[in-house]
Amino acid sequence: MSTNTLLILPGDGIGPEVMAEVRKVINWFGENRGLKFDVSEDLVGGAAYDAHGVPLHDDTMARAQEVDAVLLGAVGGPKYDDLDFSVKPERGLLRLRKEMDLYSNLRPAQCFDALADFSSLKKDIVAGLDIMILRELTSGVYFGEPRGIFEEGNERVGINTQRYTESEIERAARSAFELAMRRGKKVCSMEKANVMESGILWREVTTRVAKDYPEVELSHMYADNGAMQLVRAPKQFDVIFTDNLFGDILSDCAAMLTGSLGMLPSASLGAPMANGRPKALYEPVHGSAPDITGQGKANPIACVLSFAMALRYSFDQGDEATRLEQAIEAVLAKGLRTGDLLGAEGGTPISTSEMGDAIVTALQESLE
Ligand code: NAD
């Protein structure tokens, strides 16, 4: 069996706490499912700054380029707020994303039945929801030139440029279709082709790429209508494919359909490596949560679900990823809740490590 290499970067704040629970899950898969991981661990963010004076050491960067997947906890915290911009903890994360050229950002919006009451929408609209937003991450209006604030006559003008090349659209579109092939085989592409030339090109290229995936049903939607449809009837979607700016907004909107920040994983994928696996960074959406650090209150589920995404997208273990997601569903169905998940309907309060243990127990029960 080929070795699965994994670089763990716990980072700052609650990062190491939630990562300790992921370690339990990784060990369980090694001991019970024959899934062996060659795991190395290193520093990122403030922790790397404390040790090396930089938020990401060159050796760590080089290691990240070699492994099958990087799993990151969180970076940042008040201790580092006054650091120079160039060495702020976030720069470590941004360097990873940039140098690994992670152009596809995957943000699932999955609503566990036991938490459907947590959504701001009605329960029947979100219960069982399972959609994925694929946002192009390395181009578009956040990077296009010209940009800046310029003098024009007797006033200033702020300029940003939406710019996409065909190849940038095409490689992200391929990710979206590959993703759909592993899911519900539907892609809805969202842009503003009615008012933006970049949107016209986006639609053309996506339609062209779709011809290589005849099993996948492609539809197009203007992004403003897409936002409306996401809160009206989100279950109509499988994979939503969109650009950097619209994806930023739509993915936050979709994420909140599901309730708590402590439940949201993400993946950022790049080009395939020599072994066919994509360059990949998996991380929870939440930050380092300094307000609860060191108190055993952090919910590790977002980070565990990020590992489930690694199982599915880097290690081709979709069935085991589903086993892990179902174990989490079972834990929640038992009413076990970290503090962030304790709503009006109550539940049994448990700590970060008790949640990790409960997930491992549910995994074990899945074998019985
Ligand atoms: P945050 O996500 O850290 O916290 C927001 C709120 O959600 C806090 O009340 C926190 O306690 C809660 N929360 C977050 N994750 C949780 C979890 N797993 N379980 C239970 N509760 C959880 O965002 P913030 O407070 O705006 O930022 C704190 C620090 O994190 C800042 O330094 C910021 O720059 C950094 N940050 C890092 C990342 C990242 O590493 N990707 C992302 C966002 C923010």
Side-chain angles (χ1 to χ4, degrees):
M1 184 195 284
S2 65
T3 323
N4 300 312
T5 51
L6 188 61
L7 173 62
I8 290 188
L9 303 173
D12 308 320
I14 61 168
E17 297 171 40
V18 295
M19 203 59 87
E21 304 315 307
V22 179
R23 284 273 198 173
K24 293 177 185 169
V25 169
I26 294 172
N27 290 343
W28 185 87
F29 277 100
E31 284 160 16
N32 295 279
R33 305 301 297 159
L35 269 176
K36 297 287 181 202
F37 293 93
D38 175 359
V39 182
S40 50
E41 188 166 319
D42 213 331
L43 304 172
V44 69
Y49 177 81
D50 288 340
H52 307 300
V54 286
L56 188 74
H57 195 279
D58 288 346
D59 292 348
T60 317
M61 186 65 243
R63 180 86 187 120
Q65 297 280 21
E66 285 164 10
V67 291
D68 293 323
V70 178
L71 188 61
L72 185 139
V75 295
K79 181 179 165 193
Y80 308 103
D81 280 351
D82 296 330
L83 286 181
D84 185 72
F85 182 71
S86 63
V87 288
K88 276 195 180 294
E90 292 75 13
R91 303 300 299 172
L93 178 53
L94 292 177
R95 183 178 175 196
L96 280 166
R97 288 182 185 152
K98 185 165 191 304
E99 293 193 20
M100 291 169 77
D101 196 13
L102 304 171
Y103 52 81
S104 295
N105 183 230
L106 278 57
R107 292 262 301 261
Q110 194 175 5
C111 186
F112 291 95
D113 282 350
L115 297 181
D117 282 327
F118 254 77
S119 173
S120 51
L121 297 187
K122 288 194 194 104
K123 189 171 181 169
D124 59 318
I125 292 182
V126 292
L129 178 74
D130 180 10
I131 64 178
M132 179 77 81
I133 308 240
L134 191 146
R135 163 190 174 194
E136 197 289 329
L137 199 60
T138 52
S139 185
V141 74
Y142 292 160
F143 296 93
E145 297 283 348
R147 64 181 298 165
I149 299 175
F150 304 96
E151 299 289 337
E152 198 176 271
N154 57 1
E155 63 174 352
R156 291 180 302 158
V157 53
I159 298 181
N160 291 93
T161 303
Q162 167 82 333
R163 182 179 190 281
Y164 269 108
T165 63
E166 284 187 282
S167 55
E168 286 168 343
I169 301 169
E170 176 164 347
R171 64 182 189 171
R174 287 202 182 280
S175 295
F177 284 98
E178 293 289 340
L179 191 59
M181 287 296 287
R182 294 167 184 236
R183 295 176 43 95
K185 300 200 171 143
K186 285 201 302 183
V187 170
C188 181
S189 170
M190 294 188 187
E191 27 57 11
K192 291 279 287 178
N194 48 343
V195 286
M196 294 171 76
E197 285 74 8
S198 56
I200 295 174
L201 189 66
W202 185 277
R203 192 175 278 220
E204 271 178 32
V205 172
T206 305
T207 304
R208 190 172 74 214
V209 171
K211 297 201 168 70
D212 294 338
Y213 300 88
E215 286 176 61
V216 179
E217 178 194 320
L218 170 67
S219 59
H220 303 276
M221 202 176 265
Y222 298 138
D224 48 347
N225 182 30
M228 208 161 69
Q229 295 297 331
L230 262 178
V231 287
R232 192 188 69 83
K235 285 189 243 177
Q236 70 185 283
F237 299 113
D238 175 27
V239 174
I240 292 174
F241 171 50
T242 191
D243 74 12
N244 206 341
L245 173 62
F246 296 139
D248 197 357
I249 298 163
L250 293 170
S251 63
D252 270 19
C253 176
M256 276 304 107
L257 299 176
T258 69
S260 166
L261 199 51
M263 296 293 297
L264 297 170
S266 78
S268 300
L269 307 180
M273 298 182 286
N275 64 7
R277 292 172 171 171
K279 286 250 169 90
L281 171 74
Y282 299 89
E283 55 181 324
V285 169
H286 63 71
S288 60
D291 53 333
I292 56 167
T293 296
Q295 301 169 35
K297 289 183 181 168
N299 183 354
I301 292 180
C303 203
V304 174
L305 285 173
S306 301
F307 175 65
M309 290 185 85
L311 284 175
R312 184 171 283 121
Y313 299 116
S314 284
F315 301 116
D316 218 9
Q317 295 288 336
D319 289 348
E320 299 303 331
T322 303
R323 178 189 300 282
L324 180 50
E325 288 157 357
Q326 285 174 347
I328 290 168
E329 176 88 69
V331 169
L332 295 171
K334 285 181 197 163
L336 302 176
R337 303 275 189 273
T338 43
D340 57 311
L341 302 179
L342 278 168
E345 86 281 19
T348 309
I350 58 172
S351 67
T352 308
S353 73
E354 286 168 334
M355 179 57 89
D357 293 342
I359 294 170
V360 168
T361 302
L363 281 169
Q364 196 61 39
E365 284 165 3
S366 77
L367 300 179
E368 286 157 12

